[in-house]
Amino acid sequence: MRKISKIIAPLLLILLVLAGCQAVPKEEAKENFRKDFFEYFDTVTRIIGYADSEEEFNTEFDVIKAEFKRYHELFDIYHTYEGINNIKTINDNAGIKPVEVDQEIIDLILFSKEWYEKTNGKANIAMGAVLRVWSDYREEGMDFPDEAKLPPMELLEEKNEHTDIEKIIVDDEKNTVFLEDAEMSLDVGAVAKGYATERVADLMKERGFTSIIISAGGNVKALDKPLDGVRERWGIGIQNPDESIFTDMDSLDTVFNTNISVVTSGDYQRYYYVDEVKYHHLIDADTLMPGAYFKAVTVVMEDSGLADFMSTTLFLSSLEEGKEMLSQIEGAHALWVTYDNEIILTEGFEEMLKSGGASGAD
């Protein structure tokens, strides 16, 4: 464990390409490009990559953006789209009938149920009824801060009666999903963005466009090394939970590697105040209250969907329980930031960090 020695901020979770050495590129190096879009998964998505030309980069960027749009619409719990049965469609038909959906939704739900069973049930996609109550009170509290209040525990407990993940019935032969409980609903916020990021990265591998980083808010996926003729590894900043994500300063630390995902869950993303106490959006399935173990947890592993799922799970779990679960996943690491500003690392993680001497060089 080590103390945070000073208050430092991230960048929008990345000054990814600029972390590390900045030598003059060799003659064979490709050009660096970056572009953002803002429309999907309620976050800024930044693409940074190396290409032979701006035209090539823009072509791949357009493919990435279109894929994020598709996954956003499929996984959306708030809106309907013409010609698409999405998560909202499933929720709207709870207790009524099975809904035929695209394979991507089937895969997401089966993935989420599998890892729910493998972990401690803290990341439960069937908790929509409880999370909707918190969302409504949070939005009202943000709009009218002088009138902000907490949801009544009686209401939360009533909604919690409708969160049984076993009542999500998936028929993968007919590609249908049915919620047996008419009052339950799905909320895939703990996994959807990371899962979509991983699938988009898979598509880029198929297309052979792999010297890139995809950053969807707190979900960062790095593929093959930056083709600047200098570095062998990307540098990915870790969000400091004590600073705004919009400040342009150094991050808490920097992870150096390729073909990894870096995902952070923290109490700084969506929150409101009641009687000067902050209440964030990550709700513990046992207490039905915001998790109180950590300010933030960053998970590093290859799969972005699993990293997203595990960052929420570890944020809502004790340190000992979290370490035990993470030890069952090969190549996984985590960084916890406690409310006493201690930084706790899994064994071996420091070797990948700037603070431990790592860099983007050979």
Side-chain angles (χ1 to χ4, degrees):
M1 295 186 289
R2 55 188 172 88
K3 284 279 189 177
I4 300 176
S5 59
K6 60 181 179 179
I7 300 300
I8 48 178
L11 23 171
L12 190 95
L13 206 133
I14 28 187
L15 264 184
L16 308 160
V17 230
L18 302 181
C21 48
Q22 282 294 301
V24 177
K26 297 178 182 177
E27 185 176 343
E28 68 270 24
K30 295 191 176 185
E31 291 187 77
N32 170 241
F33 301 95
R34 68 178 69 190
K35 288 181 73 172
D36 302 340
F37 56 88
F38 305 85
E39 298 93 331
Y40 311 123
F41 290 100
D42 194 29
T43 193
V44 177
T45 299
R46 170 167 291 180
I47 311 302
I48 300 174
Y50 287 84
D52 291 323
S53 66
E54 186 172 8
E55 181 181 6
E56 179 193 9
F57 178 82
N58 287 340
T59 296
E60 300 303 327
F61 175 85
D62 289 344
V63 172
I64 291 171
K65 184 175 179 180
E67 280 296 283
F68 267 100
K69 176 180 185 292
R70 188 167 70 88
Y71 281 104
H72 171 85
E73 292 177 353
L74 287 173
F75 299 160
D76 198 337
I77 66 173
Y78 298 107
H79 306 96
T80 58
Y81 303 90
E82 185 176 355
I84 297 175
N85 286 341
N86 62 5
I87 299 291
K88 183 178 187 301
T89 314
I90 296 171
N91 289 342
D92 290 345
N93 285 277
I96 300 172
K97 64 179 182 180
V99 176
E100 185 175 356
V101 295
D102 289 357
Q103 186 64 44
E104 290 87 347
I105 292 178
I106 298 289
D107 292 343
L108 174 71
I109 292 174
L110 292 178
F111 175 89
S112 301
K113 292 185 74 172
E114 174 190 358
W115 282 98
Y116 173 91
E117 295 296 336
K118 288 182 176 180
T119 54
N120 59 7
K122 295 290 188 177
N124 180 5
I125 62 171
M127 276 192 68
V130 170
L131 299 180
R132 177 57 66 92
V133 171
W134 271 106
S135 178
D136 290 344
Y137 273 77
R138 184 171 60 250
E139 288 184 14
E140 185 173 352
M142 293 173 66
D143 290 340
F144 306 101
D146 292 339
E147 302 173 20
K149 54 189 177 183
L150 295 178
M153 183 53 66
E154 297 80 6
L155 176 59
L156 294 172
E157 290 174 343
E158 175 190 334
K159 297 298 183 182
N160 196 43
E161 294 296 316
H162 307 286
T163 60
D164 184 356
I165 198 170
E166 296 303 319
K167 293 186 177 180
I168 306 172
I169 309 303
V170 177
D171 186 330
D172 51 7
E173 291 186 358
K174 296 181 179 179
N175 266 46
T176 62
V177 181
F178 177 54
L179 305 184
E180 286 188 327
D181 183 345
E183 296 188 51
M184 78 182 299
S185 63
L186 303 181
D187 187 316
V188 295
V191 64
K193 186 167 55 175
Y195 189 88
T197 300
E198 186 69 17
R199 300 287 77 78
V200 171
D202 287 343
L203 178 60
M204 290 300 101
K205 291 177 186 176
E206 292 176 10
R207 294 176 62 86
F209 187 67
T210 58
S211 181
I212 60 169
I213 275 188
I214 303 168
S215 172
N219 297 68
V220 182
K221 176 73 176 185
L223 294 181
D224 294 341
K225 70 177 184 179
L227 294 177
D228 58 3
V230 178
R231 290 171 297 150
E232 294 297 317
R233 290 173 289 275
W234 293 98
I236 304 170
I238 297 177
Q239 170 76 49
N240 185 329
D242 287 332
E243 296 288 342
S244 165
I245 64 172
F246 298 108
T247 53
D248 187 18
M249 296 171 62
D250 290 338
S251 55
L252 185 65
D253 211 324
T254 304
V255 183
F256 288 97
N257 216 328
T258 58
N259 292 296
I260 58 165
S261 299
V262 180
V263 180
T264 299
S265 292
D267 67 0
Y268 54 83
Q269 293 173 321
R270 294 193 295 275
Y271 58 87
Y272 73 121
Y273 286 90
V274 179
D275 297 329
E276 299 184 353
V277 177
K278 182 167 72 172
Y279 293 88
H280 60 78
H281 75 293
L282 296 166
I283 306 302
D284 189 318
D286 293 329
T287 66
L288 306 182
M289 296 293 290
Y293 288 106
F294 308 105
K295 287 184 179 181
V297 177
T298 296
V299 172
V300 176
M301 62 178 69
E302 185 173 356
D303 187 288
S304 187
L306 184 54
D308 199 1
F309 186 95
M310 290 305 300
S311 70
T312 300
T313 298
L314 267 58
F315 183 89
L316 297 171
S317 305
S318 69
L319 179 63
E320 294 74 18
E321 190 175 16
K323 283 186 173 182
E324 174 60 27
M325 286 186 288
L326 207 63
S327 70
Q328 306 303 311
I329 304 172
E330 185 177 357
H333 287 286
L335 178 153
W336 291 263
V337 181
T338 73
Y339 281 98
D340 293 327
N341 278 348
E342 287 180 327
I343 295 178
I344 304 169
L345 305 173
T346 51
E347 185 176 355
F349 189 19
E350 191 166 6
E351 298 171 2
M352 298 167 59
L353 296 175
K354 182 178 181 181
S355 60
S359 74
D362 293 345

